[in-house]
């Protein structure tokens, strides 16, 4: 990497780190580009050399967090059986999201179609590529569990849709700051996560409700 390119990358990392720190302290909706520039010690125009605007910063932070999470999941040691590895990954995912609620809020915000339509082509392509990597990891894990006889052989894509919907719900709860125990009667997020993990596992290991119903008809 050329020296100038290295300096550019270092400054971009500084801007992202500064933005995330400000978002955590003040709320990502309220922080301005001018405030970001001031806290990073650069001119306002310098920020625009790296990002087209705040939505571009949101997207870059969401991508960085999602990539870091994916790298963490792929580095996990096998947990005895494929299904055990799935359980472990789910718990790790929920713990990471709980530890980084602002990143989760940004990921949810960047998942909105109207925001994605305003992003640059490179950012949209990066998000689509990352989505494919997550789907590939899910397919690898479930296929291993099917081959081991722990999960019935049923369409993995349908399983992915179900798990993705559950993940979205967990992310919404974390982004909102918790569960509201008076409404849900759940004593802690840990207990909630445990219930959700076992619900996902039950969905993976149970019969296929769609194709089973089709066969019955």
């Amino acid at each position: 990497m050329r020296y100038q390119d290295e300096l550019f990358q270092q400054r971009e990392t500084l801007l992202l780190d500064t933005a995330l720190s400000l978002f955590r302290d003040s709320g990502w909706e309220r922080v301005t580009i001018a405030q970001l520039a001031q806290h990073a010690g650069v001119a306002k125009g310098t920020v625009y050399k790296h990002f087209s605007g705040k939505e571009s910063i949101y997207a870059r932070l969401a991508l960085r967090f999602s990539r870091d999470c994916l790298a963490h999941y792929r580095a996990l040691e096998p947990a005895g059986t494929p299904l055990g590895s799935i359980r472990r990954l789910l718990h790790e995912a929920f713990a990471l999201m709980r530890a980084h609620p602002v990143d989760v809020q940004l990921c949810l915000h960047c998942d909105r179609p109207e925001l994605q339509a305003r992003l640059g082509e490179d950012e949209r392509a990066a998000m689509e590529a990352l989505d494919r990597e997550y789907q590939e990891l899910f397919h690898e894990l479930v296929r291993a569990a099917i081959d081991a006889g722990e999960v019935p052989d049923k369409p993995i894509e349908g399983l992915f849709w179900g798990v993705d919907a559950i993940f979205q719900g967990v992310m919404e709860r974390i982004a909102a700051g918790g569960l509201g125990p008076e409404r849900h009667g759940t004593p802690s997020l840990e207990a909630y996560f445990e219930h959700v993990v076992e619900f996902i596992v039950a969905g993976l290991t149970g019969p296929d409700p769609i194709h089973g119903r089709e066969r019955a008809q």
Side-chain angles (χ1 to χ4, degrees):
M1 181 183 294
R2 295 186 308 163
Y3 179 67
Q4 291 298 327
D5 293 336
E6 186 176 349
L7 286 179
F8 187 88
Q9 184 60 54
Q10 289 175 354
R11 188 171 59 198
E12 190 164 285
T13 299
L14 169 65
L15 288 169
L16 288 173
D17 290 343
T18 303
L20 185 57
S21 178
L22 289 171
F23 293 166
R24 288 170 176 165
D25 291 341
S26 305
W28 51 270
E29 308 97 323
R30 293 188 289 272
V31 175
T32 66
I33 294 292
Q35 289 173 321
L36 170 58
Q38 179 184 2
H39 281 80
V42 301
K44 185 177 177 180
T46 300
V47 179
Y48 287 105
K49 291 181 180 178
H50 294 266
F51 312 104
S52 60
K54 282 181 63 176
E55 290 180 340
S56 177
I57 295 172
Y58 300 157
R60 295 289 294 279
L61 285 170
L63 280 166
R64 186 171 75 170
F65 177 67
S66 296
R67 287 188 183 119
D68 288 346
C69 288
L70 183 61
H72 180 78
Y73 304 151
R74 289 199 175 278
L76 290 173
E77 294 291 331
T81 67
L83 199 56
S85 294
I86 291 173
R87 276 194 172 93
R88 180 178 178 182
L89 186 148
L90 292 171
H91 281 293
E92 290 283 335
F94 294 158
L96 279 172
M97 290 192 292
R98 184 184 184 186
H100 301 278
V102 173
D103 296 88
V104 172
Q105 291 170 6
L106 291 171
C107 287
L108 288 170
H109 184 63
C110 292
D111 198 38
R112 296 164 55 193
E114 63 270 23
L115 183 139
Q116 291 193 10
R118 296 193 294 270
L119 295 177
E121 184 177 341
D122 290 346
E123 290 161 337
R124 289 197 302 271
M127 288 184 171
E128 291 171 2
L130 191 57
D131 282 344
R132 288 193 295 270
E133 288 190 59
Y134 269 98
Q135 291 183 45
E136 288 168 4
L137 175 60
F138 181 83
H139 278 243
E140 291 170 14
L141 292 167
V142 175
R143 175 51 58 189
I146 290 174
D147 292 343
E150 295 180 300
V151 170
D153 191 358
K154 48 190 174 180
I156 297 178
E157 192 64 31
L159 296 175
F160 177 80
W161 295 335
V163 173
D164 180 65
I166 294 170
F167 255 79
Q168 289 290 320
V170 173
M171 292 174 71
E172 292 283 358
R173 289 296 176 197
I174 291 172
L179 297 170
E182 292 183 0
R183 175 183 174 189
H184 296 279
T186 303
S188 67
L189 274 175
E190 287 82 2
Y192 170 72
F193 292 154
E194 184 65 37
H195 281 290
V196 173
V197 168
E198 292 309 311
F199 186 82
I200 291 173
V201 169
L204 295 176
T205 58
D208 183 349
I210 301 299
H211 292 82
R213 186 172 67 240
E214 289 174 352
R215 285 192 293 268
Q217 293 173 345

